[in-house]
Amino acid sequence: ATGKGFFTTLGCFQCHQLGKEGNAFGPSLTGLLAKWKGDRGAVLEQLLDPSRVIEDKFRSWNLEVGDEASVSGLILAEDNDTLTVQSGPTEVLKQKLKKSEVKSRRRSDTSLMPSGLLNTLNKEQILDLLAYLLAEGDEKHAAFQH
């Protein structure tokens, strides 16, 4: 239950979906343990260092547009004439750019998930958050039982 509180107070839900909670801007946290082949340590490493492994779908791009303007975010769609870029978890942060106006495009090696997000937590609190994520919010899961 403590982990659920951190999922909320740290703002994880703003970008990540866990079960029916949260937003689907960043990678889904449902099935997290299966995704990392049962390796809890790898899940923890990814939480502590979100830029360690970035799925292509969630890779941020830095785009130079016009005179000295730049846009950073996920490229959601691309056709011959336009790019659809989203720089944050809400629809208002989605924009369509004309490719003819994009002067350069650079792939970012830094995750949109802020590094150091868990720095305010102690070891026990981080483990509570990890248990909540691995239990996928299911209060009947063994991780909730003490």
Side-chain angles (χ1 to χ4, degrees):
T2 304
K4 180 178 183 173
F6 291 125
F7 183 75
T8 303
T9 59
L10 291 172
C12 307
F13 72 96
Q14 292 177 342
C15 295
H16 298 282
Q17 195 164 28
L18 182 63
K20 295 177 183 174
E21 291 186 53
N23 291 311
F25 177 66
S28 173
L29 299 178
T30 303
L32 195 57
L33 195 55
K35 176 181 174 178
W36 291 96
K37 298 177 181 21
D39 186 348
R40 288 175 170 82
V43 174
L44 180 59
E45 282 180 1
Q46 193 63 27
L47 291 174
L48 296 172
D49 183 7
S51 295
R52 178 184 277 269
V53 177
I54 304 171
E55 294 175 52
D56 285 340
K57 178 180 178 181
F58 300 104
R59 170 92 44 200
S60 180
W61 291 84
N62 300 312
L63 309 168
E64 235 183 279
V65 182
D67 296 331
E68 299 187 32
S70 65
V71 175
S72 294
L74 306 179
I75 296 177
L76 302 179
E78 181 173 2
D79 61 30
N80 290 335
D81 301 316
T82 62
L83 289 171
T84 303
V85 180
Q86 189 167 0
S87 58
T90 64
E91 287 295 312
V92 297
L93 297 173
K94 191 184 288 187
Q95 59 186 305
K96 193 173 257 191
L97 304 172
K98 291 181 182 179
K99 278 186 164 179
S100 61
E101 295 175 353
V102 177
K103 292 183 175 184
S104 70
R105 181 191 315 198
R106 285 187 345 260
R107 183 180 104 141
S108 176
D109 291 327
T110 304
S111 172
L112 288 174
M113 180 174 158
S115 62
L117 195 59
L118 305 183
N119 287 355
T120 60
L121 305 181
N122 64 37
K123 180 182 175 182
E124 192 66 33
Q125 292 169 326
I126 291 170
L127 293 175
D128 285 341
L129 174 61
L130 180 61
Y132 176 72
L133 297 177
L134 297 179
E136 298 185 5
D138 179 4
E139 293 182 15
K140 294 178 182 157
H141 192 279
F144 275 86
Q145 309 308 313
H146 291 338

